[in-house]
Amino acid sequence: MLAEATCLMKYDDANNLKSKLQSGMVRNHAGAQELAKGYTAGIRRVEIASIISCGILVLFVFCCLCWHFRLNQLGGVLVNAVLAIIVADFLSGLVHWAADTWGSVNGRFGRTFIRPFREHHIDPTAMTYHDLIETNGHNCLLTVIPLMIVSHQLITLSDDKIAATCSSYWFVFILCIFVTLTNQFHKWSHTHNDLPFWVEKLQDWHIILPKKHHHIHHVSPHETYFCITTGWLNYPLERIHFWSTLEWLIEKTTGLHPRDDDLRWANKTD
Ligand SMILES: [Zn+2]
Ligand SMILES: [Zn+2]
């Protein structure tokens, strides 16, 4: 009950943030402007290559899996599909938490992978102006290698061996699909106009990340509700204090303070 009340209070704060965004206050934020400049032509080239490779591999693996599919595998495939979505949601939370809480935008890694997270906290609606490539490029880069491994196995293994482990290939395939689409689901959770009807239905049914649910994360200091694929794990992880316990452990063992860099960018004025 207390957790739900806290969440509702946070949602009120998120609505305040939304009105600030609509008034354009954060658009002029010095940190947001500097971080937005970090999106370079080189990063975009890598994103285009990732999206093309990922698209070809997804199509190939899907065709192979359909070719090998037998009706008696349906139960196993459905169970693995649900597990894959839960794992994708957890991984989205883990990566999001790590990038929000630790590290800095310095160096090539920081500029490429951490910068978008810093920009997103200062200017959450900026991502709604990103095109398909900027929205999905990073996540496609993550799924290319597992899709290549599955493709290689589906080409080289015998039909009997593929049939025996078919459920696990479906698991990896659906995991890759949901990891690939995570930032698209995230973008839709910040988009308030002109969403397709079916996307709003998927959000309403909580099959993908709903708007109100994700806005709980967008309350400074951004310390909870990190899962952004479906958000199914946010409430249980909050109940067991998963992220705060992890941060406490890391702080105790390394002396690093969570969200130091994130707060520095949030308070930037020049
Ligand atoms: Zn965040
Ligand atoms: Zn967000």
Side-chain angles (χ1 to χ4, degrees):
M1 198 63 194
L2 185 63
E4 280 172 27
T6 310
C7 288
L8 283 172
M9 280 166 60
K10 287 185 171 187
Y11 181 60
D12 285 343
D13 288 345
N15 278 337
N16 290 338
L17 175 66
K18 200 172 122 192
S19 36
K20 277 186 198 169
L21 292 169
Q22 283 163 348
S23 69
M25 275 172 68
V26 292
R27 266 296 121 66
N28 300 320
H29 189 286
Q33 289 175 348
E34 189 177 332
L35 287 163
K37 285 180 203 157
Y39 185 60
T40 62
I43 292 174
R44 191 166 176 86
R45 275 196 291 275
V46 172
E47 288 176 344
I48 292 170
S50 310
I51 288 175
I52 293 171
S53 317
C54 186
I56 293 169
L57 287 164
V58 163
L59 207 61
F60 176 76
V61 172
F62 182 66
C63 289
C64 287
L65 288 176
C66 287
W67 176 259
H68 289 281
F69 180 73
R70 303 289 176 268
L71 207 55
N72 62 2
Q73 298 165 343
L74 186 61
V77 171
L78 289 176
V79 170
N80 276 278
V82 174
L83 286 175
I85 296 170
I86 291 171
V87 172
D89 199 38
F90 179 73
L91 291 177
S92 76
L94 196 63
V95 172
H96 184 182
W97 165 80
D100 271 8
T101 314
W102 313 105
S104 77
V105 299
N106 298 329
R108 179 171 285 200
F109 180 85
R111 269 199 307 280
T112 307
F113 294 102
I114 295 180
R115 180 196 61 79
F117 291 87
R118 299 288 179 272
E119 184 190 4
H120 183 56
H121 283 180
I122 302 169
D123 191 353
T125 54
M127 74 179 309
T128 63
Y129 300 100
H130 294 172
D131 63 6
L132 184 126
I133 293 165
E134 193 171 358
T135 302
N136 298 293
H138 277 70
N139 286 41
C140 287
L141 191 60
L142 293 172
T143 52
V144 160
I145 290 174
L147 285 168
M148 280 173 71
I149 294 168
V150 171
S151 301
H152 178 257
Q153 295 202 348
L154 289 170
I155 292 168
T156 54
L157 292 180
S158 68
D159 285 0
D160 287 347
K161 278 190 176 165
I162 292 171
T165 51
C166 209
S167 293
S168 59
Y169 293 127
W170 277 103
F171 174 87
V172 177
F173 176 68
I174 293 166
L175 177 63
C176 287
I177 293 287
F178 274 79
V179 168
T180 301
L181 293 175
T182 287
N183 214 30
Q184 186 65 57
F185 297 161
H186 182 202
K187 176 181 168 178
W188 282 333
S189 79
H190 285 283
T191 307
H192 292 275
N193 299 314
D194 302 326
L195 269 183
F197 169 79
W198 57 272
V199 171
E200 292 200 327
K201 281 290 152 217
L202 290 175
Q203 290 178 334
D204 291 346
W205 295 331
H206 206 150
I207 292 170
I208 62 173
L209 187 69
K211 294 184 185 77
K212 286 183 184 177
H213 180 93
H214 178 55
H215 286 172
I216 294 168
H217 173 71
H218 278 280
V219 179
S220 185
H222 309 92
E223 59 188 356
T224 188
Y225 276 48
F226 291 100
C227 300
I228 52 171
T229 306
T230 61
W232 294 351
L233 293 179
N234 281 323
Y235 185 69
L237 291 177
E238 177 65 13
R239 286 294 301 222
I240 63 169
H241 307 289
F242 182 81
W243 304 115
S244 53
T245 307
L246 216 51
E247 285 167 18
W248 178 83
L249 273 173
I250 291 172
E251 196 169 7
K252 282 282 168 214
T253 48
T254 65
L256 295 170
H257 299 295
R259 286 171 286 281
D260 260 2
D261 190 64
D262 192 48
L263 289 169
R264 194 170 62 78
W265 280 102
N267 296 327
K268 193 172 175 63
T269 53
D270 54 6

